[in-house]
């Protein structure tokens, strides 16, 4: 039923209208252990049923496999979804764990053509620069992206992991519809400058990992519990003493969840969704899942409103988190603040 769907919001001043929560598709192909394609495809159908219309992928997820996985769904539902993909993270063909970053115009032109082929699409709705290479002038990179808009290959532009100053510089070259930053109860560094700049410019925030890569759900307390090929086993926050310290921070999340008859995941998502009113900008988090049940649970979080007292209980959490977001923070916006 139409009234059971989540609300809609516009990405940027002139961007597409999407559900107020999106879906991160990365884990459907890689990074979080084994995948079940049938379950993942059912999850995509569940997304549309719930009004979750922004689907997020990248050319580096599964080294192109995630874009190819989405191709039949995109073909069947092209007019119903907003497809976002990204370029710039380059993986070594011999060792997928080795990565570089390219933002040069020649590479951008190659990358968009490759993504269009894998997606079986004529145009990409939202095209992000996944990571910034400070060696390449930002104006050159965004200028090349703007050329793609003029050529009809891309509809709207986005950036990921940039500072507020970088967002302003890019927006002066071509309007930016969305900024993708890690933003959650555990990760609030985007608030240093990026969130304020986005609000001033009319740019939407698309928080990735709004559930702290699953840690905020309480589904695991130490990455040692996860599958051997799960990339979270290498994240500083989820191992050893850091994991133990961070697990203890979930107590107020669980308490508030009990009051609302909700899950900790729903409380964590409700907190992110309510950042829109706090900071005065559209906020469309993209929690990732491969499960219809979890998709429906996540979407239901958009209907939870936390009280000021509850928000106050959650406020100190991020400042007490132990460990960095990544083992190597050099390609994050934090390293350039």
């Amino acid at each position: 039923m139409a009234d059971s769907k989540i609300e809609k919001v516009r990405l940027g001043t002139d961007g597409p209208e999407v559900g107020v929560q999106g879906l991160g598709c990365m884990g459907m192909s890689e990074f979080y252990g084994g995948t079940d394609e049938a379950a993942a495809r059912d999850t995509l159908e569940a997304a549309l049923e719930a009004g979750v219309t922004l689907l997020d992928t990248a050319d580096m997820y599964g080294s192109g496999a995630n874009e190819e996985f989405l191709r039949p769904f995109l073909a069947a539902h092209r007019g119903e979804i907003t497809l976002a993909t990204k370029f710039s993270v380059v993986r070594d063909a011999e060792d997928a764990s080795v990565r570089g970053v390219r933002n040069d115009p020649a590479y951008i032109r190659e990358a968009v053509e490759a993504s269009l082929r894998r997606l079986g699409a004529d145009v990409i709705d939202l095209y992000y620069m996944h990571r910034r290479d400070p060696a390449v002038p930002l104006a050159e990179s965004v200028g090349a992206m703007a050329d793609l808009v003029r050529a009809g290959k891309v509809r709207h532009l986005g950036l990921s992991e940039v500072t507020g100053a970088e967002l302003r510089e890019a927006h002066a070259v071509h309007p930016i519809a969305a900024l993708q930053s890690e933003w959650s109860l555990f990760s609030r560094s985007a608030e240093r400058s990026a969130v304020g700049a986005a609000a001033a410019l009319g740019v939407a925030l698309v928080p990735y990992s709004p559930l702290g890569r699953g840690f905020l759900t309480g589904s695991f307390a130490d990455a040692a519990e996860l599958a051997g090929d799960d990339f979270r086993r290498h994240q500083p926050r989820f191992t050893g003493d850091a994991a133990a310290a961070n697990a203890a921070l979930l107590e107020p999340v669980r308490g508030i969840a009990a009051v609302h008859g909700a899950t900790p995941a729903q409380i964590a998502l409700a907190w992110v969704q309510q950042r829109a009113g706090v900071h005065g900008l559209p906020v469309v988090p993209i929690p990732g899942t491969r499960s219809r049940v979890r998709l429906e649970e996540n979407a239901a979080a958009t209907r939870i409103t936390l009280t000021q007292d509850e928000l106050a209980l959650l406020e100190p959490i991020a400042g007490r988190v132990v460990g960095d977001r990544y083992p190597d923070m050099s390609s994050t916006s934090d390293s350039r603040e």
Side-chain angles (χ1 to χ4, degrees):
M1 296 174 60
D3 61 3
S4 69
K5 293 189 175 184
I6 64 174
E7 295 181 359
K8 295 181 179 179
V9 69
R10 189 167 300 281
L11 295 181
T13 304
D14 299 309
E17 190 177 57
V18 300
V20 75
Q21 186 181 110
L23 174 62
C25 298
M26 180 181 78
M28 294 178 176
S29 297
E30 192 182 16
F31 296 109
Y32 292 106
T35 61
D36 180 334
E37 284 202 2
R41 294 195 187 284
D42 185 53
T43 302
L44 294 174
E45 296 290 346
L48 275 190
E49 292 165 14
V52 174
T53 58
L54 177 63
L55 303 186
D56 183 89
T57 183
D59 60 2
M60 65 86 68
Y61 299 161
S63 298
N66 197 240
E67 289 180 327
E68 292 174 346
F69 169 76
L70 291 173
R71 179 173 179 157
F73 187 78
L74 179 64
H77 300 283
R78 190 64 187 97
E80 302 170 77
I81 64 174
T82 296
L83 193 285
T85 191
K86 316 180 197 71
F87 73 89
S88 81
V89 178
V90 183
R91 302 177 74 169
D92 189 303
E94 302 299 322
D95 184 351
S97 67
V98 176
R99 297 168 194 171
V101 176
R102 286 189 64 179
N103 295 165
D104 57 283
Y107 178 74
I108 293 171
R109 290 190 290 270
E110 292 175 10
V112 74
E113 295 295 345
S115 285
L116 286 168
R117 284 195 301 272
R118 286 188 291 264
L119 292 164
D122 296 322
V123 61
I124 293 165
D125 298 315
L126 177 59
Y127 200 42
Y128 287 102
M129 185 172 76
H130 204 165
R131 291 291 185 269
R132 168 95 202 277
D133 177 4
V136 178
L138 188 56
E140 286 187 16
S141 302
V142 179
M145 295 169 72
D147 287 342
L148 302 180
V149 176
R150 287 186 283 270
K153 298 179 185 296
V154 169
R155 290 195 173 104
H156 304 283
L157 302 185
L159 300 174
S160 179
E161 284 286 349
V162 298
T163 67
E166 290 167 340
L167 178 60
R168 291 177 186 276
E169 181 183 350
H171 196 74
V173 177
H174 187 280
I176 303 299
L179 168 62
Q180 194 169 129
S181 298
E182 184 168 354
W183 202 9
S184 73
L185 282 171
F186 266 27
S187 300
R188 297 181 61 177
S189 60
E191 295 174 27
R192 292 175 190 158
S193 67
V195 172
L201 296 170
V203 176
L205 240 296
V206 178
Y208 74 85
S209 297
L211 294 174
R213 296 185 176 81
F215 198 83
L216 284 163
T217 70
S219 60
F220 71 99
D222 190 297
E225 303 167 20
L226 303 174
D229 58 349
D230 192 307
F231 90 115
R232 291 172 292 182
R233 291 174 68 94
H234 307 289
Q235 304 300 103
R237 291 181 172 178
F238 307 143
T239 58
D241 292 342
N246 294 335
L249 298 176
L250 298 182
E251 193 56 37
V253 181
R254 292 192 183 93
I256 295 169
V259 171
H260 284 267
T263 65
Q266 288 176 316
I267 299 306
L269 285 172
W271 180 89
V272 176
Q273 301 279 179
Q274 284 184 236
R275 299 300 92 193
V278 173
H279 295 278
L281 78 171
V283 175
V284 183
I286 49 170
T289 183
R290 298 168 286 189
S291 160
R292 170 182 281 268
V293 172
R294 292 290 171 258
L295 184 287
E296 293 169 349
E297 175 186 319
N298 292 345
T302 66
R303 302 182 181 92
I304 295 174
T305 300
L306 302 176
T307 68
Q308 290 303 310
D309 286 344
E310 289 167 342
L311 292 172
L313 287 174
L314 300 173
E315 182 65 24
I317 290 177
R320 298 172 180 169
V321 171
V322 178
D324 284 332
R325 296 192 285 130
Y326 294 99
D328 178 1
M329 293 286 287
S330 62
S331 66
T332 67
S333 58
D334 302 54
S335 69
R336 300 189 302 279
E337 288 281 7

